[in-house]
Structure formats: structure tokens, C-alpha cells
Amino acid sequence: QQQVKQSPQSLIVQKGGISIINCAYENTAFDYFPWYQQFPGKGPALLIAIRPDVSEKKEGRFTISFNKSAKQFSLHIMDSQPGDSATYFCAASRETSGSRLTFGEGTQLTVNP
Amino acid sequence: GAGVSQSPSNKVTEKGKDVELRCDPISGHTALYWYRQSLGQGLEFLIYFQGNSAPDKSGLPSDRFSAERTGGSVSTLTIQRTQQEDSAVYLCASSRGRSTEAFFGQGTRLTVV
């Protein structure tokens, strides 16, 4: 119940294209869903997060779509750029109880110029 | 400092030796996590400290691994009798109480030879 499943494992997109990464969870008590971005040699950094009271959140080229009934959420990167090439992790937690973050397995995104 | 600080940044040790990895979280952050990341892999949860609560040690892979957090601040991850499979990047993260945005350090790259 604590697992968060992420797909695909790797993704190659052309510059200007849309990158889509999907995550699914089992624990209906989860109420906080962040996405982290990690560049080689660096620690992951928070990119964008959503809570289940909304179905979509957009920040610049990055959008999270959230489907509570399906227990799924996804990250969309519009107009993907080579600088977006990184590993992306979804995560989930029960924020109200201060529980730890549970991370997905990660997606290695490559944006070709 | 402004961010999570980990030391050392790199550590090479001989098989069978003990190592200590240090994490200085962001001041005032009550939650602290340790994760392990093998080359090109995801984030393997190790241990989670939240305030004065008993730590969640469910991710520690064996009794050779232990961690403590002194005074609710600095944390030390200790690996006894290191094995080659312990080679990985060890990441520390911290977050405020109810806000679960986790800020990661740069990690300690451990190599066991």
C-alpha cells in the first residue's frame, strides 16, 4: 500500500515535444503528490506538487494532472528542452500526518536537440 | 547554511571497515530522511526521523546500518563492516513539520573497495 509505481523507466523526446510521465498509487490516504527533478551528480529538487483538492496544477511548462478516482497522477512537460534532460521522480505522502515521502522508481528523460 | 549539507562528499573505504556519513539539515526542519541511490537507480528509503517520534527504520537493509539524530538536528548514518554492495550515493533530505517539501543534500558517494 505504500508503493508508488512510475512509468516509463526512460523516455526520449524531441525538442519542442511533450514529455509525459505517469505514476499510480494504492494508499488512498496519500494527500500530497510532488515531483522531483534530479540532474547528474546532484540531489533531487522539488519541481512541482499537487494536493487532491485540485485535478490540475500548472507552473510554466510543467503541469501535474491528478485523477483521484483512478489513483493516478502524471507530469506533463510542454515544449520540452534539452535542459529538461534529467531523472524525474514522483512521490506521495500523508502530509496531514507528517508521514515520510514514498518515491516512484524514477524516469530518465532525454530531450534531443 | 542555506541548504542540507552532507559530508564527506566522497568516501572510499576498504571492505570490512566502518564508515560514518554526516547530514546537517536545514535549521528548524523537524523531519530528516536518509536514502540510498545506486548508479542510475531510484531512491531507496533507509530511515526517517520526525521530531521526537520514534524513527521509521523500516528501510534499513541490515543490522550493519544504523542512524541517529542528535538534538533534533545533525544526523549520522553508520555502516559497519562495509561490503561492496554498500557502494552507492547516500542522500539526506530534510523538511519542515507539516510541509513535506523535502530538500536534498548533494549526497555522499561511498565506494567500498
Side-chain angles (χ1 to χ4, degrees), chain A residues 6 8-21 37-40 61-62 75 77-88 106-113, chain B residues 40:
Chain A
Q6 183 173 346
Q9 197 170 29
S10 63
L11 180 61
I12 299 175
V13 174
Q14 291 299 118
K15 179 182 175 182
I18 302 173
S19 304
I20 302 174
I21 305 170
Q37 180 187 54
Q38 184 181 29
F39 293 105
R61 296 184 295 108
F62 300 91
L75 176 69
I77 306 174
M78 312 299 288
D79 186 27
S80 299
Q81 300 297 311
D84 297 331
S85 297
T87 301
Y88 292 80
T107 296
Q108 188 165 351
L109 172 66
T110 302
V111 181
N112 289 326

Side-chain angles (χ1 to χ4, degrees), chain A residues 26-45:
Chain A
E26 289 294 324
N27 189 342
T28 55
F30 285 148
D31 57 10
Y32 176 68
F33 303 90
W35 285 89
Y36 282 78
Q37 180 187 54
Q38 184 181 29
F39 293 105
K42 305 289 187 183

Side-chain angles (χ1 to χ4, degrees), chain B residues 2-50:
Chain B
V4 176
S5 177
Q6 291 187 247
S7 60
S9 54
N10 282 284
K11 176 73 175 178
V12 180
T13 190
E14 292 181 353
K15 178 181 173 181
K17 299 281 189 184
D18 297 351
V19 294
E20 284 189 354
L21 312 181
R22 178 186 169 104
C23 174
D24 282 272
I26 295 172
S27 178
H29 280 193
T30 59
L32 187 146
Y33 303 80
W34 283 99
Y35 289 89
R36 178 167 71 175
Q37 188 173 35
S38 300
L39 186 63
Q41 300 300 307
L43 296 165
E44 179 187 3
F45 167 72
L46 297 177
I47 189 168
Y48 168 61
F49 297 90
Q50 170 61 281

